[in-house]
Short mmCIF file of all heavy atoms in Angstrom, two decimals:
data_model
loop_
_atom_site.label_atom_id
_atom_site.label_comp_id
_atom_site.label_asym_id
_atom_site.label_seq_id
_atom_site.Cartn_x
_atom_site.Cartn_y
_atom_site.Cartn_z
N VAL F 10 126.54 75.51 -15.24
CA VAL F 10 126.60 76.68 -14.38
C VAL F 10 127.96 76.72 -13.69
O VAL F 10 128.78 75.81 -13.86
CB VAL F 10 125.47 76.66 -13.33
CG1 VAL F 10 124.10 76.66 -14.00
CG2 VAL F 10 125.61 75.43 -12.42
N PRO F 44 126.06 67.33 -0.66
CA PRO F 44 127.04 68.24 -0.04
C PRO F 44 127.78 67.54 1.10
O PRO F 44 127.19 66.78 1.86
CB PRO F 44 126.18 69.39 0.48
CG PRO F 44 124.95 69.35 -0.36
CD PRO F 44 124.71 67.89 -0.65
N THR F 63 120.07 64.52 28.39
CA THR F 63 118.93 64.40 29.28
C THR F 63 119.11 63.18 30.17
O THR F 63 119.69 62.18 29.76
CB THR F 63 117.60 64.30 28.50
OG1 THR F 63 116.53 64.18 29.42
CG2 THR F 63 117.60 63.10 27.57
N THR F 69 107.03 63.48 31.25
CA THR F 69 106.31 64.22 30.21
C THR F 69 107.07 65.47 29.79
O THR F 69 107.22 65.74 28.60
CB THR F 69 104.91 64.62 30.72
OG1 THR F 69 104.17 63.43 30.99
CG2 THR F 69 104.17 65.46 29.69
N ASN F 71 110.31 66.32 29.95
CA ASN F 71 111.52 66.10 29.19
C ASN F 71 111.22 65.63 27.77
O ASN F 71 111.84 66.08 26.80
CB ASN F 71 112.42 65.08 29.90
CG ASN F 71 113.23 65.71 31.01
OD1 ASN F 71 113.13 66.90 31.27
ND2 ASN F 71 114.05 64.91 31.67
N SER F 81 112.46 72.89 16.66
CA SER F 81 112.96 74.26 16.53
C SER F 81 114.33 74.30 15.89
O SER F 81 114.62 75.17 15.05
CB SER F 81 113.01 74.93 17.91
OG SER F 81 111.72 75.02 18.48
N THR F 90 121.63 65.98 18.26
CA THR F 90 122.19 64.71 18.70
C THR F 90 121.78 64.49 20.15
O THR F 90 122.16 65.26 21.02
CB THR F 90 123.73 64.71 18.59
OG1 THR F 90 124.10 64.86 17.22
CG2 THR F 90 124.30 63.41 19.13
N ASP F 156 108.00 78.87 34.65
CA ASP F 156 107.76 79.60 35.89
C ASP F 156 107.08 78.66 36.88
O ASP F 156 105.87 78.72 37.10
CB ASP F 156 106.91 80.83 35.63
CG ASP F 156 106.74 81.70 36.88
OD1 ASP F 156 107.37 81.37 37.91
OD2 ASP F 156 105.98 82.68 36.81
N GLY F 159 105.37 80.46 39.95
CA GLY F 159 104.14 81.15 39.60
C GLY F 159 102.99 80.18 39.38
O GLY F 159 101.85 80.44 39.79
N TRP F 177 96.65 70.55 50.92
CA TRP F 177 97.67 69.51 51.06
C TRP F 177 98.47 69.43 49.77
O TRP F 177 98.05 69.93 48.73
CB TRP F 177 97.01 68.17 51.37
CG TRP F 177 96.38 68.14 52.74
CD1 TRP F 177 95.28 68.82 53.16
CD2 TRP F 177 96.84 67.39 53.87
NE1 TRP F 177 95.02 68.56 54.49
CE2 TRP F 177 95.95 67.67 54.95
CE3 TRP F 177 97.89 66.50 54.09
CZ2 TRP F 177 96.10 67.10 56.21
CZ3 TRP F 177 98.03 65.93 55.34
CH2 TRP F 177 97.15 66.24 56.39
N SER F 185 114.57 66.48 42.69
CA SER F 185 114.15 67.24 41.51
C SER F 185 114.07 68.73 41.84
O SER F 185 113.39 69.13 42.78
CB SER F 185 112.80 66.75 41.01
OG SER F 185 112.25 67.67 40.08
N ARG F 190 110.92 73.52 43.77
CA ARG F 190 110.38 74.86 43.54
C ARG F 190 108.87 74.89 43.76
O ARG F 190 108.32 75.86 44.27
CB ARG F 190 110.74 75.33 42.12
CG ARG F 190 112.18 75.81 41.99
CD ARG F 190 112.38 76.60 40.71
NE ARG F 190 112.22 75.76 39.53
CZ ARG F 190 113.17 74.99 39.00
NH1 ARG F 190 114.35 74.93 39.58
NH2 ARG F 190 112.95 74.29 37.91
N ALA F 194 106.92 77.10 46.60
CA ALA F 194 105.85 78.02 46.23
C ALA F 194 104.55 77.67 46.92
O ALA F 194 103.78 78.57 47.32
CB ALA F 194 105.66 78.00 44.71
N ARG F 204 97.83 80.56 56.36
CA ARG F 204 97.28 79.22 56.50
C ARG F 204 98.40 78.24 56.89
O ARG F 204 99.55 78.39 56.46
CB ARG F 204 96.65 78.73 55.19
CG ARG F 204 95.65 79.70 54.60
CD ARG F 204 94.44 79.94 55.49
NE ARG F 204 93.58 80.99 54.95
CZ ARG F 204 92.61 80.76 54.09
NH1 ARG F 204 92.36 79.53 53.67
NH2 ARG F 204 91.88 81.77 53.65
N GLY F 223 97.35 59.15 47.65
CA GLY F 223 95.90 59.33 47.69
C GLY F 223 95.22 58.48 48.74
O GLY F 223 94.24 58.91 49.36
N ALA F 249 92.64 56.64 43.92
CA ALA F 249 92.60 56.27 45.33
C ALA F 249 91.39 56.88 46.02
O ALA F 249 90.69 56.21 46.80
CB ALA F 249 93.89 56.71 46.03
N HIS F 251 88.58 57.79 44.63
CA HIS F 251 87.37 57.13 44.12
C HIS F 251 87.15 55.78 44.79
O HIS F 251 86.02 55.46 45.20
CB HIS F 251 87.49 56.95 42.60
CG HIS F 251 86.39 56.13 42.01
ND1 HIS F 251 85.11 56.61 41.83
CD2 HIS F 251 86.37 54.84 41.55
CE1 HIS F 251 84.35 55.68 41.30
NE2 HIS F 251 85.09 54.59 41.11
N ILE F 269 98.96 67.68 30.80
CA ILE F 269 99.22 66.69 29.76
C ILE F 269 97.97 66.55 28.89
O ILE F 269 96.86 66.88 29.32
CB ILE F 269 99.62 65.33 30.36
CG1 ILE F 269 98.48 64.75 31.22
CG2 ILE F 269 100.91 65.46 31.18
CD1 ILE F 269 98.78 63.36 31.76
N PHE F 275 90.54 62.93 32.20
CA PHE F 275 90.45 62.30 33.51
C PHE F 275 89.00 62.35 34.00
O PHE F 275 88.17 63.11 33.47
CB PHE F 275 91.34 63.02 34.53
CG PHE F 275 92.82 62.78 34.36
CD1 PHE F 275 93.33 62.06 33.29
CD2 PHE F 275 93.72 63.30 35.28
CE1 PHE F 275 94.69 61.85 33.14
CE2 PHE F 275 95.09 63.10 35.15
CZ PHE F 275 95.57 62.37 34.07
N VAL F 282 97.93 73.06 36.04
CA VAL F 282 98.78 74.17 35.59
C VAL F 282 99.40 73.81 34.25
O VAL F 282 100.08 72.78 34.13
CB VAL F 282 99.87 74.48 36.63
CG1 VAL F 282 100.80 75.58 36.11
CG2 VAL F 282 99.25 74.89 37.96
N LEU F 298 121.71 79.15 20.02
CA LEU F 298 122.13 79.66 18.72
C LEU F 298 122.69 81.08 18.84
O LEU F 298 123.64 81.44 18.13
CB LEU F 298 120.96 79.65 17.74
CG LEU F 298 120.50 78.29 17.23
CD1 LEU F 298 119.38 78.44 16.21
CD2 LEU F 298 121.66 77.50 16.63
N ARG F 302 126.31 82.03 17.45
CA ARG F 302 126.52 83.07 16.44
C ARG F 302 127.39 84.21 16.95
O ARG F 302 128.14 84.81 16.19
CB ARG F 302 125.15 83.60 15.99
CG ARG F 302 124.38 82.58 15.14
CD ARG F 302 122.90 82.89 15.05
NE ARG F 302 122.21 81.90 14.23
CZ ARG F 302 120.89 81.72 14.23
NH1 ARG F 302 120.12 82.47 15.01
NH2 ARG F 302 120.34 80.79 13.47
#
Side-chain angles (χ1 to χ4, degrees):
V10 299
T63 180
T69 297
N71 279 1
S81 298
T90 296
D156 185 5
W177 292 69
S185 166
R190 282 195 294 277
R204 308 297 174 88
H251 173 75
I269 62 176
F275 286 5
V282 176
L298 288 183
R302 289 162 180 163

